[in-house]
Amino acid sequence: EVRLLESGGGLVQPGGSLRLSCEASGFTLDIYAMTWVRQAQGGGMEWVSSISSSGGNTYYADSVKGRFTISRDNSRNTLYLEMNSLRAADTALYFCAKAPYVGNSAFDYWGQGTLVTVSS
Amino acid sequence: EIVMTQSPATLSVSPGERATLSCRASQSVHSYLAWYQQKPGQAPRLLIYGASTRATGIPARFSGSGSGTEFTLTITSLQSEDFAIYYCQQYDDWAPYTFGQGTKLEIK
């Protein structure tokens, strides 16, 4: 059974940092692209970042470019999102999701999310 | 960036009846359109990709249609477990991938 389990969320002050993790099981991580999507209170879904299966190619939404870094450790079956210079607007539930490849591919499995709250 | 617009925002339908949800793209996304179902506290679930192909394990009562800028998700013979929020997403002109704002399907 495919499972994605996010962790690392929490309450952080504006300007602070967090590192999210997404542990994968039930499939071979290193042949799939991975993505982070966030959902703010009120429901809107926003794509945040994607990474190719090897980790050699990364992509970011303009709203997080230069502040967030996506990475993966295929040997640990884990995806990461390093978030710096956090803002109130980054407050959201963060999901990781898998896809066959980056690009013209839907996200076929998602985790349940980890909540990030940016507030003083 | 392609803007996805879903309608209606809320749809009230009785169990056993049919629900029709709409999604419009601000420019053509060809058939690179997915539908997801989300229930409170649960992971979003892929229902439809390629505008009309059901994902693994999705019941036949879910069907998708359309291409270009107009898309429809139809759920026939609604079951209690189908009441949820549904999102469309384009993955044609990706980076960014974009989602609609969602349609809440509620029990009438």
Side-chain angles (χ1 to χ4, degrees):
Chain A
E1 179 190 3
V2 172
R3 292 194 68 185
L4 295 167
L5 182 63
E6 301 93 338
S7 62
L11 175 63
V12 61
Q13 292 188 336
S17 299
L18 274 179
R19 187 196 201 198
L20 306 185
S21 299
C22 170
E23 184 174 354
S25 59
F27 67 101
T28 305
L29 183 69
D30 60 5
I31 62 173
Y32 291 99
M34 296 296 294
T35 286
W36 290 96
V37 174
R38 66 187 181 185
Q39 184 174 37
Q41 186 76 19
M45 295 263 199
E46 181 188 15
W47 170 75
V48 174
S49 181
S50 295
I51 187 168
S52 61
S53 58
S54 67
N57 294 294
T58 58
Y59 309 87
Y60 298 93
D62 287 345
S63 58
V64 307
K65 200 171 294 183
R67 301 187 298 123
F68 290 12
T69 302
I70 191 171
S71 62
R72 61 194 296 159
D73 185 340
N74 289 336
S75 67
R76 295 178 181 269
N77 291 323
T78 304
L79 171 74
Y80 302 101
L81 186 68
E82 187 77 37
M83 305 187 296
N84 298 315
S85 302
L86 282 161
R87 308 165 179 166
D90 297 317
T91 295
L93 186 62
Y94 284 73
F95 298 99
C96 63
K98 65 179 279 290
Y101 47 87
V102 178
N104 300 128
S105 176
F107 309 140
D108 54 6
Y109 288 94
W110 299 55
Q112 292 193 303
T114 186
L115 182 63
V116 173
T117 303
V118 183
S119 175
S120 55
Chain B
E1 168 175 325
I2 297 177
V3 176
M4 307 301 292
T5 303
Q6 292 185 242
S7 61
T10 303
L11 182 62
S12 299
V13 182
S14 299
E17 295 191 341
R18 173 194 298 249
T20 302
L21 290 67
S22 296
C23 176
R24 173 177 292 179
S26 60
Q27 65 189 71
S28 176
V29 299
H30 304 95
S31 292
Y32 294 116
L33 191 284
W35 290 95
Y36 301 91
Q37 177 193 68
Q38 188 181 29
K39 298 179 182 178
Q42 294 189 18
R45 180 170 71 147
L46 175 66
L47 300 174
I48 301 286
Y49 64 94
S52 61
T53 302
R54 277 189 302 277
T56 302
I58 301 304
R61 64 181 182 272
F62 291 88
S63 64
S65 63
S67 66
T69 62
E70 300 284 343
F71 300 89
T72 300
L73 175 68
T74 301
I75 313 169
T76 58
S77 189
L78 276 164
Q79 307 295 304
S80 57
E81 62 266 29
D82 299 336
F83 293 95
I85 299 175
Y86 292 83
Y87 295 93
C88 63
Q89 177 223 350
Q90 68 82 20
Y91 50 98
D92 179 38
D93 186 21
W94 59 279
Y97 300 94
T98 50
F99 295 82
Q101 78 280 18
T103 290
K104 182 180 181 180
L105 180 59
E106 64 176 26
I107 301 174
K108 186 174 182 180

